[in-house]
């Protein structure tokens, strides 16, 4: 429907789209250049002081109603006004059979309801009411002024018939619940909020296999900084919580005596603070490497002490038993240089070419390890409420990455041949590093990275908007529980979301309409409309927010201490006492009983090549929790309220 009110054209949500704004103090022309295939109503809600032309050059295949309403008909100044109801059920005017009262009520985020009483002419009429479409209008008469206004559009939901009085009581409701249920896609539901809700595929996914539009609607409604409702003409409206200049101001002479009231929010509506957090669970991937080095003792020890040589097979076996670490490139086992060494104390050491191939004189290698650490980042925002309650309200939403970090850590490298050869390894086209055969990603050497491959920056921002929007709506809803109510003679010009002002009986307030009730008593002729205005405390004319999330900086650096691989001789005068077992790394051997330094009283070692890699510090291994404040601002539309005595 297109409404012309107070000199401007405004779109009411029909399929024709928004109309341009123009001043009605000059000639006004409305042109509809396409076929109008839906009910079309054009209402001029202000004094028509100009030429008005409506042109539909395309075929008009729908009902067209033009209503020009003067605000003078709703004036409460001296004089009288009269009204008559117009009720149509399933296309039949039943106004002549009405009795009792007609009550219509509407509120934010709920269905508009109506109740009325009617005397059916026949049993067939009685049986035909339920499930039929119904409209309720009221025509107002004032000297020199006439206006017909729509109060309700909906369906007869229930009929109760009193046989004694022959009166049928009809309960009616609009299609508020049915509208979301009829949606077939996420886009359909999101369109109900005119782009004002904040969708998040991570926190509120749409299941195309098992669509649940009602649940999706409820989830989006929790993020909408406004209200939704169906207006009196049956049009769905998404109404932002915006409080600007009032469309009308009512003084003491415009309201019914004793009807002005003021209500404060309950303590439960206003906590001290609202804390919102978006918790993102993922993995921090680490990588560290250490360089290993071992050098055999000088040949004098072999000659004097008769110590054994270290076979390369022993070193290779020790390397194969290093758990959780991988060689970065193939370790290098260097054999002794063939030759004769000495004399030392009259003795010699002879190294043959066969010995050079079998024994190790020096060992070098770089070993690499990677592991994951569970991480939980909480992006937070706090909205101060200033309530009298000493409690806080919390909103927490969670995203969990599905990346399989455990598999990433455990998967062995495909370059398994790095540890198979001690010499003359087969040639390869690409020098192996030891970790290009591991699954991606590859954290920086001696560093870490936060890895959430299935949580993109856009997903994270959408989720942050979702959480902050929920917190904002909760905060604004609580503030909007500060309300002013009043009643006046029947006035159906206003809808949910309109901004009105009242200045009567010591209360001056400007706020947004959140509840409407129309009551028409057919027997007595009394007709009045009551309104409830939300007059929240706030800091803006609009209810909105900005939110930004920045992933925490991962500045982890590893400096693991490489094991010191030495030569430890047992059963010798040179055996170091006391023995510190943690230091026994490298080649462990014993003095030959025939050697000059043999000492049977000293500890005797189990010959081996012993490697113990450094442990990962607990702060880099245990789950971590990081708190990261969001950036941005929160605004709540403010009403005005002044009470004087």
């Amino acid at each position: 429907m297109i409404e012309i009110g107070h000199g401007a054209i405004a779109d009411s949500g029909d399929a024709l789209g928004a109309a341009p704004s123009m001043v009605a103090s000059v000639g006004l022309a409305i042109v509809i250049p396409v076929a109008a295939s839906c009910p079309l109503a054009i209402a001029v809600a202000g004094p028509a002081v100009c030429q008005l032309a409506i042109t539909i050059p395309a075929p008009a295949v729908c009902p067209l109603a033009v209503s020009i309403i003067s605000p003078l008909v709703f004036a409460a100044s001296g004089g009288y006004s009269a009204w008559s109801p117009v009720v149509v059920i399933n296309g039949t005017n039943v106004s002549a059979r009405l009795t009792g009262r007609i009550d219509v009520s509407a509120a934010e985020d709920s269905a508009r309801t109506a109740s009325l009483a009617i005397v059916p002419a026949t049993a067939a009429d009685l049986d035909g009411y339920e499930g039929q479409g119904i409209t309720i209008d009221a025509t107002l008469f004032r000297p020199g002024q006439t206006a017909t206004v729509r109060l309700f559009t909906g369906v007869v939901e229930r009929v109760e018939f009193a046989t004694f009085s022959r009166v049928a009581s009809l309960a009616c409701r609009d299609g508020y619940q049915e509208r979301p249920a009829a949606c077939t896609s996420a886009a359909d539901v999101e369109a109900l909020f005119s782009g004002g809700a904040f969708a998040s595929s991570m926190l509120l996914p749409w299941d195309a296999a098992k669509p649940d539009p009602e649940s999706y609607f409820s989830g989006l409604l929790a993020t909408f900084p406004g209200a939704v409702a169906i207006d009196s003409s049956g049009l769905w409206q998404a109404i932002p919580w915006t409080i600007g200049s009032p469309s009308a101001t009512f003084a003491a002479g415009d309201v019914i005596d004793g009807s002005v009231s003021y209500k404060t929010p309950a303590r439960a509506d206003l906590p001290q603070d609202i804390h919102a957090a978006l918790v993102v669970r993922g993995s921090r991937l680490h990588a560290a490497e250490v360089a290993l080095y071992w050098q055999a003792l000088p040949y004098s020890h072999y000659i004097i002490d008769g110590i054994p040589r270290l076979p390369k097979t022993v070193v290779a076996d020790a390397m194969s038993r290093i758990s959780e670490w991988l060689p970065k490139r193939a370790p290098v086992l260097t054999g002794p240089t063939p030759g004769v060494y000495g004399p030392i104390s009259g003795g010699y050491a002879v190294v043959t070419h066969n010995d050079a191939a079998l024994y190790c004189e020096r060992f070098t290698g770089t070993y690499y390890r990677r592991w994951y650490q569970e991480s939980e980042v909480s992006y937070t925002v706090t909205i101060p409420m200033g309530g009298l309650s000493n409690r806080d309200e919390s909103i927490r939403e969670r995203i969990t990455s599905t990346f399989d970090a455990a598999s990433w850590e455990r998967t062995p490298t495909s370059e398994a041949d790095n540890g198979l050869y001690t010499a003359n390894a087969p040639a390869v086209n690409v020098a192996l590093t030891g970790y290009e055969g591991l699954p991606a990603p590859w954290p920086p050497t001696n560093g870490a990275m936060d890895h959430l491959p299935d949580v993109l920056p856009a997903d994270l921002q959408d989720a942050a908007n979702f959480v902050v929007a929920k917190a904002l709506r909760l905060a604004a809803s609580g503030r909007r529980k500060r309300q002013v109510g009043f009643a006046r003679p029947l006035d159906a010009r206003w809808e949910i979301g309109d901004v009105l002002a009242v200045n009567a009986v010591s209360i001056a307030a400007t706020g947004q309409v959140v509840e409407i009730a129309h009551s028409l008593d057919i027997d007595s002729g009394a007709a009045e409309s009551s309104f409830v205005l939300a007059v929240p405390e706030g800091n803006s004319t609009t209810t909105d927010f900005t939110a930004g999330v920045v992933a925490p900086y991962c500045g982890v650096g590893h400096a693991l201490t490489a094991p010191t691989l030495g030569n430890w001789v047992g059963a010798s005068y040179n055996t170091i006492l006391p023995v510190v077992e943690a230091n026994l790394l490298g080649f462990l051997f014993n003095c030959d009983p025939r050697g000059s330094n043999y000492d049977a009283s000293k500890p005797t070692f189990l010959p081996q090549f012993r490697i113990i890699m450094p442990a990962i510090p607990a702060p880099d291994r245990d789950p971590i929790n990081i708190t990261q404040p969001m950036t941005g601002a929160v605004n709540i539309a403010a009403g005005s309220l002044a009470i004087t005595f």
Side-chain angles (χ1 to χ4, degrees):
M1 185 177 75
I2 298 175
E3 296 178 350
I4 305 174
H6 307 288
I9 293 180
D11 178 51
S12 294
D14 60 282
L16 298 178
S21 176
M22 60 184 69
V23 178
S25 59
V26 295
L28 177 62
I30 301 173
V31 178
I32 302 175
V34 296
S37 58
C38 59
L40 179 64
I42 300 175
V44 180
V49 295
C50 62
Q51 281 189 325
L52 177 62
I54 301 172
T55 304
I56 306 178
V61 294
C62 62
L64 175 63
V66 178
S67 177
I68 299 178
I69 302 170
S70 170
L72 298 178
V73 78
F74 301 102
S77 57
Y80 72 92
S81 62
W83 61 273
S84 65
V86 180
V87 176
V88 176
I89 300 178
N90 193 25
T92 301
N93 191 324
V94 296
S95 305
R97 309 201 66 81
L98 296 174
T99 185
R101 294 169 54 91
I102 299 175
D103 291 297
V104 177
S105 62
E108 291 185 327
D109 305 326
S110 60
R112 181 179 295 243
T113 62
S115 62
L116 65 154
I118 188 170
V119 180
T122 65
D125 289 344
L126 176 63
D127 292 338
Y129 294 145
E130 187 172 344
Q132 300 302 318
I134 180 174
T135 59
I136 302 175
D137 296 336
T139 300
L140 291 89
F141 307 93
R142 191 176 177 84
Q145 307 291 338
T146 302
T148 298
V149 291
R150 176 62 50 86
L151 302 180
F152 179 82
T153 301
V155 174
V156 178
E157 190 173 53
R158 189 180 66 254
V159 178
E160 293 184 8
F161 181 64
T163 57
F164 177 77
S165 62
R166 294 292 192 270
V167 173
S169 299
L170 277 56
C172 310
R173 182 174 58 84
D174 64 16
Y176 179 85
Q177 285 83 3
E178 290 76 11
R179 197 69 59 89
C183 294
T184 58
S185 67
D188 289 346
V189 180
E190 292 163 13
L192 295 178
F193 299 94
S194 300
F198 294 86
S200 169
S201 60
M202 304 294 291
L203 300 177
L204 186 66
W206 172 269
D207 188 350
K210 296 180 179 179
D212 186 356
E214 295 98 327
S215 177
Y216 193 70
F217 172 80
S218 297
L220 286 182
L221 180 60
T223 72
F224 180 49
V228 290
I230 294 179
D231 65 17
S232 59
S233 297
L235 300 176
W236 182 274
Q237 303 289 348
I239 307 146
W241 284 338
T242 300
I243 302 178
S245 300
S247 298
T249 300
F250 301 109
D254 299 317
V255 300
I256 296 174
D257 291 344
S259 67
V260 181
S261 63
Y262 163 61
K263 182 177 70 173
T264 62
R267 289 171 63 90
D269 296 324
L270 289 180
Q272 285 189 338
D273 297 303
I274 294 177
H275 303 284
L278 171 62
V279 180
V280 181
R281 293 176 176 172
S283 301
R284 176 166 286 184
L285 309 182
H286 296 259
E289 64 179 42
V290 294
L292 302 181
Y293 176 80
W294 175 83
Q295 176 67 50
L297 291 172
Y299 284 104
S300 59
H301 292 272
Y302 293 91
I303 298 172
I304 296 173
D305 293 335
I307 64 174
R309 291 192 176 100
L310 175 62
K312 291 181 179 179
T313 55
V314 173
V315 179
D317 179 65
M319 290 190 300
S320 68
R321 288 186 280 107
I322 297 177
S323 62
E324 300 178 329
W325 292 78
L326 298 169
K328 182 180 179 181
R329 307 180 189 90
V332 178
L333 282 69
T334 304
T337 303
V340 178
Y341 300 89
I344 298 174
S345 300
Y348 294 87
V350 178
V351 178
T352 67
H353 287 279
N354 187 53
D355 292 338
L358 294 177
Y359 297 109
C360 180
E361 184 177 64
R362 183 170 57 253
F363 160 66
T364 58
T366 299
Y367 275 75
Y368 172 97
R369 179 180 175 179
R370 63 186 197 168
W371 69 98
Y372 77 94
Q373 182 180 27
E374 294 179 353
S375 69
E376 185 174 280
V377 181
S378 297
Y379 299 94
T380 61
V381 65
T382 297
I383 302 177
M385 294 294 290
L388 298 177
S389 171
N390 58 2
R391 68 180 183 86
D392 291 344
E393 191 76 37
S394 296
I395 292 176
R396 291 177 69 86
E397 296 285 351
R398 290 177 173 82
I399 295 175
T400 300
S401 173
T402 59
F403 175 69
D404 189 353
S407 176
W408 172 87
E409 178 183 294
R410 292 192 304 265
T411 301
T413 174
S414 61
E415 314 299 345
D417 58 353
N418 275 359
L420 294 180
Y421 304 99
T422 60
N424 303 317
V428 293
N429 294 328
V430 179
L432 303 180
T433 66
Y435 51 80
E436 72 268 337
L438 294 167
W442 299 284
T445 302
N446 289 320
M449 62 185 293
D450 292 316
H451 187 58
L452 295 91
D454 51 345
V455 184
L456 302 178
D459 297 328
L460 187 61
Q461 183 62 56
D462 288 345
N465 290 341
F466 184 90
V467 171
V468 177
K470 287 185 68 173
L472 172 61
R473 180 178 171 87
L474 182 62
S477 296
R479 293 276 183 88
R480 289 170 67 87
K481 294 298 175 63
R482 189 176 76 159
Q483 297 173 345
V484 170
F486 66 94
R488 65 186 312 272
L490 182 63
D491 189 349
R493 292 173 294 173
W494 316 114
E495 292 285 355
I496 299 296
D498 286 335
V499 177
L500 301 177
V502 60
N503 188 354
V505 197
S506 302
I507 290 181
T510 299
Q512 197 167 19
V513 177
V514 295
E515 293 180 21
I516 298 173
H518 303 298
S519 178
L520 296 82
D521 192 317
I522 295 172
D523 296 333
S524 68
E528 67 178 56
S529 299
S530 61
F531 304 91
V532 176
L533 308 181
V535 290
E537 293 182 299
N539 61 339
S540 178
T541 59
T542 59
T543 302
D544 52 27
F545 71 92
T546 58
V549 290
V550 178
Y553 173 67
C554 181
V556 175
H558 299 299
L560 301 183
T561 302
T564 301
L565 304 180
N567 294 276
W568 301 88
V569 59
S572 170
Y573 292 119
N574 295 323
T575 300
I576 299 175
L577 296 177
V579 175
V580 180
E581 295 182 356
N583 295 336
L584 295 179
L585 301 175
F587 187 27
L588 279 65
F589 54 90
N590 299 301
C591 182
D592 193 306
R594 297 167 294 178
S596 59
N597 287 332
Y598 178 73
D599 185 349
S601 66
K602 294 296 181 64
T604 302
F605 298 130
L606 177 67
Q608 60 185 289
F609 193 80
R610 190 167 186 251
I611 303 175
I612 297 179
M613 301 300 287
I616 305 302
D620 295 329
R621 182 188 66 240
D622 296 340
I624 56 172
N625 295 279
I626 302 171
T627 299
Q628 186 86 345
M630 294 187 198
T631 61
V634 170
N635 299 312
I636 297 177
S640 65
L641 175 65
I643 301 177
T644 58
F645 286 91

